[in-house]
Amino acid sequence: MTDDRKLGFNSLAVHAGYHVKKGPVNPPIARSSTYAFETCEDGAARFASSGKEGIYSRLHNPNCDALEQKIAALEGGYGSITTASGMAAVDVMYYAFLEPGSHVVATASLYGASRSILEKDDHYRKWGVSATFVDTSDVDKVRQAVAIPHTKLLYVETPANPTMAITDLEQMAKIARDAGIPLVVDNTFCSPYLQKPIELGADVSLHSMTKSIGGHANAIGGVLVTRDEETCFKLKHHVMNRGAVLSPDSADLFFTGLKTLGLRMERAQQNAIAIAEYLGNHPRVAWVTYPGLKDHPRYDLVESGRQMRGPGCMMVFGVSGGYETATVLLNNLNLVTLAVSLGGVESLIQHPASMTHAGVSRENRLQAEITDDMVRLSIGIEDVDDLIADFDQAFAKV
Ligand code: PLP
């Protein structure tokens, strides 16, 4: 047996979670919903052990187990729990950490649905849950907001979706520790390859696996990675009891997708650096925000490698003339696809104000600096010259 602790990221991505000397190199897909017991005593023993012996697939599934081990190894967590979607992970996390009357401090430009369920969902309204959305890149603002009584959770997305604002996670971990509350980080934009929140002091790192972890836009899923056993156990039980489990087929797609995560991220990031420079120099582009450009407010944090291994594949920009003008660009792109989602092998472009963040009021969007002219771009692994040629022909029509 290999000692996983000695392996590098790509070796872990390929091998962690399923070691074999003989037989199939990927876990066979276990679609069976239920497992036969040899005797009544065997059945009773399996229930009594609450171990990973086959009982029923909502409780444990070998494909989900293997994927959970791989992700925990990649993020340096105690364990991880897969869920039916990224939003199931977010909701289970809120459900587990909040109680009636709780207050949450969260990044203002949080993923639209993660923010709007705190603001509008009937269940959290009935519980009287309140939230303060702040620019978490401003440490003093976070410290002030956390001081509000009944604060039970600090929830940070960095880089934020879609503004690309970067929050210092070590500082957030210190604030959360001082306040005695958990720090949860949505790490979807970075993936475990670029950022490991648990190692920086977070209690839970959460992903929409639908994005970079899967990488091929072919499955929906989420995951919660935990620092300790107790939180892992608690979250696992919430997922099992609410039935928000991942299917074995999707687990298999994520398990195989993860094997190339490092390679995909490196290539997409290389393309993104070139595209950010291209857009930054384009006469029809008013502004670009990308953590790999020197004018990004936290370029220092990215460059130092203290928090992120690189600037990633996500950026936002504005077209001169505003969104009316930008629609001509978006409607004329051929290779870059007009679609929501991100982090996959294909380059995707979308308009947050009318798409991913349409559920957040305009007033709250503007407060979170999600401007009407903002266009979000997720760069894939295509040949960069082809991406630039596509932008050239579309800009010519603007
Ligand atoms: N978090 C972020 C940053 C996202 O971008 C998304 C989806 O776009 C989610 C969470 C929700 O994930 P899912 O669509 O898998 O439910």
Side-chain angles (χ1 to χ4, degrees):
M1 171 82 71
T2 330
D3 180 357
D4 280 354
R5 286 165 305 183
K6 294 200 178 111
L7 297 178
F9 187 91
N10 288 307
S11 306
L12 279 178
V14 174
H15 294 284
Y18 193 69
H19 295 280
V20 282
K21 284 274 185 204
K22 194 178 171 192
V25 297
N26 284 308
I29 300 178
R31 289 204 184 99
S32 189
S33 58
T34 195
Y35 288 73
F37 309 137
E38 212 171 354
T39 58
C40 293
E41 292 74 14
D42 175 32
R46 289 193 206 190
F47 270 92
S49 78
S50 72
K52 294 199 173 180
E53 291 286 303
I55 297 178
Y56 185 66
S57 201
R58 178 164 53 74
L59 312 181
H60 280 293
N61 172 275
N63 299 93
C64 294
D65 290 348
L67 174 61
E68 288 166 358
Q69 283 168 34
K70 195 189 279 296
I71 295 178
L74 290 175
E75 284 234 359
Y78 164 81
S80 83
I81 307 108
T82 52
T83 55
S85 68
M87 281 317 298
V90 172
D91 188 49
V92 161
M93 181 276 289
Y94 288 156
Y95 199 89
F97 288 129
L98 304 180
E99 56 194 36
S102 291
H103 172 249
V104 182
V105 176
T107 304
S109 59
L110 208 57
Y111 172 61
S114 307
R115 175 167 175 153
S116 60
I117 59 168
L118 278 181
E119 290 175 321
K120 296 181 191 160
D121 183 81
D122 276 353
H123 167 76
Y124 296 108
R125 279 165 72 143
K126 264 189 238 153
W127 265 15
V129 166
S130 61
T132 304
F133 296 98
V134 290
D135 172 5
T136 47
S137 64
D138 185 330
V139 177
D140 292 335
K141 277 192 187 152
V142 179
R143 208 177 281 285
Q144 270 169 25
V146 160
I148 295 172
H150 311 298
T151 301
K152 294 281 185 242
L153 170 69
L154 176 55
Y155 183 32
V156 170
E157 200 172 301
T158 179
N161 182 4
T163 61
M164 301 308 299
I166 290 181
T167 297
D168 189 322
L169 289 180
E170 284 177 335
Q171 299 267 18
M172 293 302 110
K174 185 167 182 332
I175 293 177
R177 250 195 327 272
D178 291 348
I181 58 170
L183 168 65
V184 178
V185 177
D186 184 327
N187 199 26
T188 302
F189 265 38
C190 280
S191 88
Y193 184 69
L194 293 184
Q195 184 168 272
K196 297 179 197 285
I198 304 267
E199 290 181 359
L200 296 162
D203 298 282
V204 175
S205 167
L206 168 167
H207 295 264
S208 163
M209 293 198 291
T210 316
K211 314 296 174 346
S212 313
I213 287 183
H216 296 78
N218 54 4
I220 298 269
V223 69
L224 295 149
V225 191
T226 73
R227 159 182 294 282
D228 61 62
E229 184 178 4
E230 193 189 333
T231 311
C232 194
F233 189 75
K234 174 167 150 168
L235 292 171
K236 169 85 185 162
H237 274 263
H238 279 293
V239 172
M240 270 172 14
N241 293 343
R242 317 241 110 59
V245 293
L246 187 67
S247 81
D249 290 80
S250 297
D252 179 63
L253 291 169
F254 293 124
F255 189 87
T256 46
L258 262 176
K259 295 187 181 200
T260 56
L261 176 66
L263 303 184
R264 288 186 280 106
M265 289 304 284
E266 278 299 330
R267 165 65 177 233
Q269 178 170 271
Q270 212 181 334
N271 282 353
I273 293 168
I275 297 289
E277 278 165 9
Y278 163 85
L279 291 173
N281 291 320
H282 201 285
R284 291 198 178 271
V285 172
W287 57 271
V288 184
T289 305
Y290 176 62
L293 293 178
K294 289 201 172 80
D295 63 358
H296 189 284
R298 291 315 309 266
Y299 179 74
D300 61 312
L301 200 55
V302 180
E303 219 214 354
S304 69
R306 176 159 73 77
Q307 179 163 309
M308 290 165 72
R309 196 200 275 241
C313 60
M314 299 298 301
M315 68 191 75
V316 282
F317 67 98
V319 175
S320 311
Y323 186 60
E324 293 283 289
T325 318
T327 53
V328 183
L329 174 79
L330 269 59
N331 289 338
N332 282 286
L333 286 164
N334 297 322
L335 198 60
V336 179
T337 306
L338 180 56
V340 295
S341 204
L342 58 103
V345 291
E346 53 287 289
S347 296
L348 303 178
I349 197 160
Q350 66 108 358
H351 177 231
S354 65
M355 298 173 191
T356 47
H357 291 70
V360 179
S361 71
R362 184 163 186 270
E363 188 194 347
N364 287 342
R365 277 201 310 267
L366 292 180
Q367 212 172 27
E369 295 178 19
I370 304 167
T371 52
D372 290 341
D373 68 336
M374 178 184 280
V375 171
R376 190 185 80 182
L377 183 57
S378 169
I379 292 293
I381 64 165
E382 299 94 337
D383 291 298
V384 72
D385 291 347
D386 292 333
L387 293 173
I388 289 176
D390 195 29
F391 274 110
D392 276 344
Q393 66 77 28
F395 269 123
K397 295 179 179 126
V398 170

